Amino acid sequence: MQAGTQNKKLKTSSKNVAGRGVESTSYQNRFVKGIPFKFDYEASVESTEVVKIKSQNELFIGGKFVKPQSGKYFKTLNPATENVLAEVAEANSTDVDLAVLAARKAFATWSKLSGHERGRYLFKIARIIQERAREVAILESLDNGKPIKETRDVDTPLAAAHFFYHAGWADKLEYVVPGRSVAPLGVVGQIIPWNFPLLMAAWKIAPALACGNTVVLKPAETTPLTALLLAEIIQQAELPEGVVNIVTGAGETGANLVDHPDVNKIAFTGSTDIGRRIQKAIAGTQKRLTLELGGKSAHIIFEDAAIDQAIEGVINGIYFNQGHVCCAGSRLLLEESISELFVKKLKKRMQKIRIGNPLDKNTDIGAINSAGELQKIQNLVGVGKTEGGEFFEPNLTLPSKGYFHKPCFFNGVSSAATLSRVEVFGPVLTIATFRTPEEAVLKANDTPYGLAAGLWSEKGSKIHKVASRLRAGVIWANTYNKFDPTSPFGGYYESGFGREGGRHGLLGYLEVK
Amino acid sequence: MIDQVGIHERAEFFAKRSIKKQSKLGALYTCVSMCDLTTLEGSDTVGKVQQLCQKAIRPAPPTMLSQYFNGNKIEPLPSVAAVCVYPTMVPVAVKALKGTDIKIASVATAFPSGQAPFEIKSQDTKFAINHGANEIDMVINRGAFLSGKYSVVFDEIKEISKICAGKAHLKVILETGEIGSYDKIRLASEIAMEAGADFIKTSTGKMQPAATVPVTLVMLQAISDFYDKTGKKIGMKPAGGIRSAKEAIQYLVMVNETLGEQWLSSELFRFGASSLLNDLLRQIFKEISGSYYYEKSFSLD
């Protein structure tokens, strides 16, 4: 491609004789001594052979896959190609009734099992997830659009880790609150989002089961397939019937679950708007509630930070999972003395991001999950452009089909701007500067949300002082977007309440006596 | 300043790039062309250096490759970038490499320890250049560096670079395994570049740890910042410890994503390695023929 005239002569030769060999000319125009090598990584696409997707998927109730009473099915797409992947049952109120009934029935025996026995089932689920990791990762990539690199290295291993971790707690519940005894709540209704479909299911189901509850889970309507694969895994693990039930559907199915009189607790992860509606809906009932909602998390870089690593932290903080992360570091706060250098380096780094086919192992940013989400992101970027600030997006080529959005940022955006206050839930970053640590804290806390924050400095004392004044449920120092089942996760203010993970996470699924 | 956890994470990221088929073959060819084939032993003789030079010119018999192309004219395997020897062996290499574009690199400045009076280091360098070396691989004064006498380190490099000016490219070996931390490696890189290095190089190959991916990344980032500041392109040479083609490709990915394509040429990137070349050949022949050659198909030197 860059080799000039010399190579053109060589392009004419015929194919080679050896069995699996390469064509004789093709590599020669990619390498000529003395001319820089044009290193464009050839696509390295994961095969989907291992994944068997049923064209029609049923509800998982009482340990069996059953046809919906509604008789209705909806489609789920591959957002990278816009092709239909499968049809999935849509649960109506009767279906939700049946699921809750199955969970209630199972609760009587499940809650009486010894912690040791419950733990064994959870260990078994964890191990099967590991065994079927490749299948899980590929299916997640297909249904969600996120890159295989992430489903393989983050979503799937973390999902298994959540089951492993909580399996360990199942027989140690008496130590959750020292000196007090605990009991399960009963039937738990769980509603999860589309950004980490399997991981959120694991995140919700594992602690609930460890504590002796039974579950009715509703996955997001655009990403139901890995939850149904988890149902298969649960069958394979021979979990007693009805302990976990999975009802697929959209908002109405979720509302039926929230409104069901025989549900003892609702655990919801999703938007702040829906969170508010859920809280209103269950007001006046005995139902417990934990909400893990939106965020507009600040990512603070001090001048004494390790700059090159902070650049990676920022990239990971906002462009990981296409920016569909509730704790994404979407507001970058730079100490003014380094802001120019930092922005220059950030632009250079962003040019190296690879966007495209989620199944290509070299893809860094995959597809936006749905046309609706893409539209929402595009609208907000449009608003950002009218409100000002320097807009930057790297010169990348998007695939012609599928829902894709380039990573981008707005530099020099005030705290009053729409993009500084509204959660975009996409690969869109705002950048502002500060002069002192006090100003950094003020700006970081100047948001209705309080889910996460990150800060970078090589000075330990500064990290501790600033971190103690940030109002955010999760604070990362000199890193970002690190998740671990042992660490509680959750927010302040409009980011919700309750914690998930760690000892604190168990409290959301236990009655402390 | 360097964050250790962060630099390790980034280094691992490059290993995850999946380089296959044409990209892989192109990368393997490029890696061959970037090798500094090296012999730096007390036991080096004229015969040994001559043989090494032959291997440098033709890493494998051309007929081995051409049989797969059905008689068509093909681009042969490239020769390596340079041969790296002790100053006394420079005349031998000059003779053996006459008429090729292979560079003659000589270690100098009391390699590998650098523990000699400066006059001797300077003489060492002049000897190599006068006998035809066109690249000088000098070692920094680690004793001075570790005792905080950075100006001594700077001045020595500056003086040697004056001797080299116009006659030879100067590669400055930091011996990263001896200088302790990533912050110090970064500092040493900056001192070397400011003092006039054309290349910065990780190690002598005489001790472990030698080149690692994170150490190289720290140095590449220093090169990137120096380029942004001065517009001057400094080369990079990881040396010692890189044995497999797979690792070498990981280095290329790292250079590509840290400095960009401009650096993917032997003008600006080298591997200081002797055993790497044969694994590169094995992988090239495997890509082309479809199956692995017996390792004894390739000569030792």
Side-chain angles (χ1 to χ4, degrees):
Chain A
M1 334 260 159
Q2 40 33 73
T5 50
Q6 190 196 346
N7 288 304
K8 282 182 185 149
K9 273 188 272 173
L10 299 170
K11 270 186 180 169
T12 49
S13 51
S14 66
K15 67 176 184 217
N16 64 311
V17 289
R20 194 191 71 85
V22 294
E23 293 212 359
S24 61
T25 53
S26 42
Y27 73 96
Q28 290 155 11
N29 46 18
R30 320 237 343 196
F31 172 77
V32 169
K33 200 175 176 185
I35 296 175
F37 171 53
K38 191 165 168 45
F39 201 2
D40 39 2
Y41 316 151
E42 196 164 326
S44 176
V45 181
E46 185 71 59
S47 153
T48 57
E49 223 170 277
V50 63
V51 179
K52 304 271 177 284
I53 301 175
K54 292 189 204 93
S55 57
Q56 187 175 307
N57 294 272
E58 313 297 351
L59 305 172
F60 184 65
I61 296 174
K64 289 174 198 72
F65 287 96
V66 296
K67 291 200 179 301
Q69 298 296 313
S70 71
K72 283 191 201 157
Y73 291 84
F74 61 96
K75 292 181 173 65
T76 181
L77 303 182
N78 176 348
T81 61
E82 303 175 44
N83 294 335
V84 174
L85 282 172
E87 295 209 324
V88 182
E90 185 178 331
N92 65 9
S93 61
T94 320
D95 295 308
V96 171
D97 250 351
L98 290 170
V100 173
L101 195 68
R104 177 59 61 196
K105 206 173 143 205
F107 180 70
T109 48
W110 179 252
S111 60
K112 296 290 181 297
L113 279 188
S114 72
H116 172 70
E117 280 176 278
R118 284 201 309 273
R120 282 182 57 178
Y121 285 111
L122 292 177
F123 275 125
K124 206 165 171 187
I125 295 170
R127 281 198 304 270
I128 300 173
I129 292 175
Q130 286 185 324
E131 279 164 20
R132 300 178 66 173
R134 223 169 90 81
E135 185 184 351
V136 172
I138 294 167
L139 183 62
E140 193 75 301
S141 237
L142 284 170
D143 202 18
N144 174 279
K146 62 170 74 190
I148 185 76
K149 192 171 78 181
E150 289 176 10
T151 57
R152 179 193 68 194
D153 298 343
V154 182
D155 296 63
T156 312
L158 260 181
H162 270 270
F163 279 102
F164 274 120
Y165 173 74
H166 288 100
W169 265 119
D171 61 355
K172 302 172 191 70
L173 297 176
E174 60 196 285
Y175 303 104
V176 173
V177 188
R180 308 275 292 272
S181 64
V182 294
L185 300 174
V187 175
V188 180
Q190 304 178 321
I191 301 170
I192 58 171
W194 49 264
N195 58 341
F196 293 93
L198 177 82
L199 180 57
M200 287 298 116
W203 203 320
K204 291 270 186 288
I205 293 173
L209 262 47
C211 293
N213 304 283
T214 55
V215 165
V216 179
L217 176 93
K218 190 201 87 73
E221 68 268 33
T222 56
T223 55
L225 295 183
T226 46
L228 294 170
L229 179 57
L230 182 62
E232 249 180 62
I233 289 170
I234 283 168
Q235 268 186 333
Q236 201 183 336
E238 295 170 346
L239 190 75
E241 289 172 4
V243 172
V244 172
N245 305 276
I246 295 176
V247 287
T248 43
E252 204 172 318
T253 311
N256 286 330
L257 185 56
V258 168
D259 294 336
H260 199 286
D262 200 29
V263 167
N264 302 91
K265 182 218 160 108
I266 294 292
F268 172 75
T269 296
S271 71
T272 298
D273 185 35
I274 305 288
R276 265 198 207 101
R277 276 154 63 182
I278 291 175
Q279 200 169 1
K280 275 183 194 152
I282 66 166
T285 72
Q286 295 292 311
K287 285 175 200 166
R288 296 230 200 159
L289 180 64
T290 47
L291 295 174
E292 203 270 90
L293 308 174
K296 197 75 206 179
S297 301
H299 206 160
I300 305 167
I301 319 289
F302 289 104
E303 66 172 6
D304 52 7
I307 300 294
D308 287 314
Q309 287 74 60
I311 292 279
E312 292 307 318
V314 169
I315 293 281
N316 183 43
I318 182 65
Y319 303 127
F320 170 63
N321 199 30
Q322 295 75 244
H324 307 319
V325 186
C326 46
C327 54
S330 51
R331 287 185 298 140
L332 179 60
L333 300 174
L334 298 174
E335 189 155 354
E336 209 163 312
S337 54
I338 53 155
S339 67
E340 213 172 298
L341 172 75
F342 199 91
V343 170
K344 194 174 156 194
K345 278 176 173 265
L346 187 62
K347 286 179 180 172
K348 198 171 154 191
R349 173 67 181 82
M350 284 167 72
Q351 193 54 50
K352 290 286 173 192
I353 289 174
R354 303 176 67 88
I355 188 165
N357 182 356
L359 289 175
D360 183 343
K361 286 174 247 176
N362 290 323
T363 292
D364 299 322
I365 295 187
I368 303 296
N369 180 246
S370 63
E373 282 299 318
L374 179 62
Q375 187 62 51
K376 189 185 126 195
I377 296 166
Q378 285 167 341
N379 289 348
L380 281 165
V381 167
V383 171
K385 283 179 179 168
T386 64
E387 291 186 5
E390 176 209 1
F391 176 72
F392 173 80
E393 58 180 11
N395 180 23
L396 305 171
T397 313
L398 299 184
S400 53
K401 257 191 119 183
Y403 314 129
F404 290 90
H405 197 283
K406 284 186 197 176
C408 63
F409 67 68
F410 287 87
N411 186 14
V413 178
S414 90
S415 301
T418 305
L419 287 184
S420 300
R421 310 209 75 80
V422 175
E423 184 181 39
V424 180
F425 219 61
V428 183
L429 176 72
T430 64
I431 305 177
T433 58
F434 64 88
R435 294 160 296 179
T436 61
E438 286 67 34
E439 194 183 358
V441 170
L442 274 176
K443 284 192 166 166
N445 287 339
D446 183 12
T447 166
Y449 295 105
L451 190 51
L455 62 158
W456 291 74
S457 163
E458 287 294 283
K459 194 171 181 186
S461 55
K462 190 192 276 182
I463 287 176
H464 284 284
K465 190 173 178 193
V466 172
S468 68
R469 294 168 58 201
L470 293 173
R471 294 294 283 173
V474 184
I475 297 171
W476 287 290
N478 292 337
T479 190
Y480 206 93
N481 271 346
K482 285 280 171 293
F483 305 99
D484 192 297
T486 65
S487 174
F489 185 97
Y492 285 99
Y493 312 122
E494 294 199 357
S495 292
F497 47 79
R499 293 291 178 268
E500 294 183 297
R503 187 184 66 84
H504 304 74
L506 297 167
L507 295 172
Y509 291 101
L510 287 170
E511 164 113 49
V512 180
K513 293 184 172 171
Chain B
M1 258 162 298
I2 314 292
D3 179 76
Q4 184 183 321
V5 175
I7 203 90
H8 285 184
E9 221 170 63
R10 184 71 178 143
E12 282 163 26
F13 171 90
F14 298 120
K16 287 182 184 169
R17 289 290 189 217
S18 178
I19 307 300
K20 301 278 187 235
K21 300 175 211 162
Q22 294 305 310
S23 312
K24 185 176 182 183
L25 196 54
L28 290 168
Y29 262 66
T30 308
C31 288
V32 170
S33 78
M34 289 171 165
C35 279
D36 280 7
L37 214 53
T38 304
T39 183
L40 295 168
E41 300 298 332
S43 56
D44 285 348
T45 58
V46 171
K48 164 82 182 170
V49 172
Q50 280 171 343
Q51 287 168 35
L52 191 77
C53 290
Q54 288 302 312
K55 171 112 176 168
I57 298 167
R58 272 182 299 277
T63 46
M64 267 175 85
L65 195 63
S66 58
Q67 63 175 309
Y68 293 105
F69 293 91
N70 209 14
N72 291 306
K73 186 172 179 281
I74 63 149
E75 182 82 10
L77 281 172
S79 53
V80 304
V83 164
C84 183
V85 293
Y86 272 117
T88 48
M89 289 296 159
V90 168
V92 181
V94 168
K95 205 174 156 201
L97 296 173
K98 207 171 172 190
T100 71
D101 63 353
I102 299 172
K103 301 282 194 297
I104 294 137
S106 171
V107 294
T109 73
F111 180 92
S113 73
Q115 296 285 17
F118 184 72
E119 299 85 85
I120 291 175
K121 295 183 185 179
S122 148
Q123 282 304 316
D124 203 14
T125 312
K126 283 175 188 160
F127 179 91
I129 293 175
N130 290 342
H131 284 84
N134 33 35
E135 297 185 350
I136 294 295
D137 288 26
M138 74 169 287
V139 289
I140 66 163
N141 189 332
R142 279 95 75 196
F145 185 83
L146 290 169
S147 51
K149 293 173 188 136
Y150 302 123
S151 59
V152 173
V153 179
F154 179 89
D155 291 343
E156 280 193 9
I157 301 170
K158 188 91 199 165
E159 286 306 314
I160 300 291
S161 85
K162 278 184 197 159
I163 297 171
C164 294
K167 297 174 208 150
H169 265 63
L170 179 62
K171 303 194 200 110
V172 177
I173 304 171
L174 311 180
E175 193 64 306
T176 53
E178 282 184 354
I179 60 179
S181 68
Y182 291 125
D183 284 342
K184 285 283 175 73
I185 292 168
R186 167 84 195 201
L187 176 62
S189 305
E190 284 169 3
I191 290 172
M193 290 186 293
E194 294 286 354
D198 296 304
F199 262 74
I200 51 177
K201 174 174 168 184
T202 58
S203 327
T204 59
K206 293 291 177 193
M207 68 160 297
Q208 286 296 328
T212 66
V213 177
V215 160
T216 307
L217 180 55
V218 168
M219 293 169 70
L220 292 175
Q221 284 169 343
I223 290 171
S224 172
D225 289 348
F226 188 76
Y227 175 67
D228 286 343
K229 205 169 74 180
T230 65
K232 199 176 162 205
K233 288 180 189 159
I234 305 294
M236 173 72 206
K237 178 176 172 185
I242 305 166
R243 292 198 171 76
S244 72
K246 194 173 178 177
E247 278 173 90
I249 291 175
Q250 187 187 349
Y251 278 83
L252 279 204
V253 167
M254 174 163 66
V255 173
N256 185 34
E257 297 196 28
T258 309
L259 292 168
E261 272 165 18
Q262 293 164 301
W263 261 263
L264 291 180
S265 124
S266 61
E267 300 294 307
L268 288 168
F269 192 78
R270 297 281 179 83
F271 290 107
S274 32
S275 53
L276 171 64
L277 181 58
N278 272 4
D279 195 48
L280 290 170
L281 295 176
R282 272 190 95 208
Q283 301 302 333
I284 286 172
F285 279 85
K286 192 241 169 188
E287 284 300 308
I288 290 173
S289 74
S291 58
Y292 275 111
Y293 271 57
Y294 180 36
E295 53 189 278
K296 286 195 183 261
S297 308
F298 304 102
S299 65
L300 287 175
D301 58 29

